[in-house]
Amino acid sequence: MLSANQMLSQFDNNYQLGDAGMDTTHQEFLRHCQETAATTGSEFANKFKKLLDHTQAHFDEEERRMISIQHGAYKEHRADHQRILGDMTRFNERVQAGRGMMAKAWLNDSLLAWFDIHARTMDSALAADLKASA
Ligand SMILES: [Fe+2]
Ligand SMILES: [Fe+2]
């Protein structure tokens, strides 16, 4: 299982998609994950909320760009965003109520594993389509 640190250090080889906006957002996402995972208590709650807000904006922007080029996989891609955002929203409610342990385990395992696959498949396909539509 890769940590956010390892994923950032391997970003150029594994996650760079060649779309400047998406690449910047994805590096920011991994940095938010890294910073959040490194904290505890009320600091963890603050960082987790920032991660949630950043993720919401990240997904909104990709979905806006998908609509602008009539991306074929829009529905599936959006559904994958909604699933992970729903999980993150529910974990955030627990975190803000002072119950952060499960959320931290989810961040380190499920969320990063999700990003690894999502970036290499759906986001990669979107970046290629954006390039072709430019
Ligand atoms: Fe993305
Ligand atoms: Fe995406």
Side-chain angles (χ1 to χ4, degrees), residues 41 44-45 48 91 94-106:
F44 179 72
F48 200 92
F91 277 115
R94 300 175 67 101
V95 169
Q96 300 308 321
R99 303 191 305 274
M101 274 184 48
M102 281 177 66
K104 187 173 277 192
W106 174 79

Side-chain angles (χ1 to χ4, degrees), residues 26 58 62 118 123:
H26 290 164
H58 165 188
E62 284 183 13
H118 185 89
D123 284 352

Side-chain angles (χ1 to χ4, degrees), residues 1-125:
M1 187 63 237
L2 289 174
S3 68
N5 266 334
Q6 290 169 316
M7 290 168 84
L8 273 167
S9 71
Q10 297 166 17
F11 191 88
D12 289 0
N13 285 331
N14 290 345
Y15 304 110
Q16 188 126 33
L17 301 176
D19 180 275
M22 289 176 82
D23 287 334
T24 299
T25 300
H26 290 164
Q27 282 174 321
E28 289 169 357
F29 169 81
L30 288 172
R31 261 184 234 116
H32 276 287
C33 288
Q34 179 187 42
E35 287 178 20
T36 307
T39 58
T40 54
S42 64
E43 187 65 9
F44 179 72
N46 292 338
K47 299 272 191 202
F48 200 92
K49 179 64 167 64
K50 287 210 176 82
L51 171 64
L52 176 61
D53 291 344
H54 183 273
T55 302
Q56 175 85 67
H58 165 188
F59 291 175
D60 284 351
E61 175 64 7
E62 284 183 13
E63 288 162 25
R64 187 190 64 73
R65 296 183 75 191
M66 282 189 249
I67 292 168
S68 79
I69 59 164
Q70 298 185 308
H71 183 56
Y74 170 71
K75 274 189 183 164
E76 299 98 295
H77 194 149
R78 180 165 181 268
D80 202 42
H81 285 170
Q82 286 187 318
R83 183 179 59 80
I84 208 80
L85 195 61
D87 289 349
M88 193 183 283
T89 300
R90 283 186 289 278
F91 277 115
N92 182 59
E93 285 164 12
R94 300 175 67 101
V95 169
Q96 300 308 321
R99 303 191 305 274
M101 274 184 48
M102 281 177 66
K104 187 173 277 192
W106 174 79
L107 193 166
N108 283 322
D109 301 335
S110 305
L111 181 62
L112 290 174
W114 169 83
F115 177 78
D116 176 70
I117 292 170
H118 185 89
R120 294 166 188 268
T121 56
M122 291 183 168
D123 284 352
S124 172

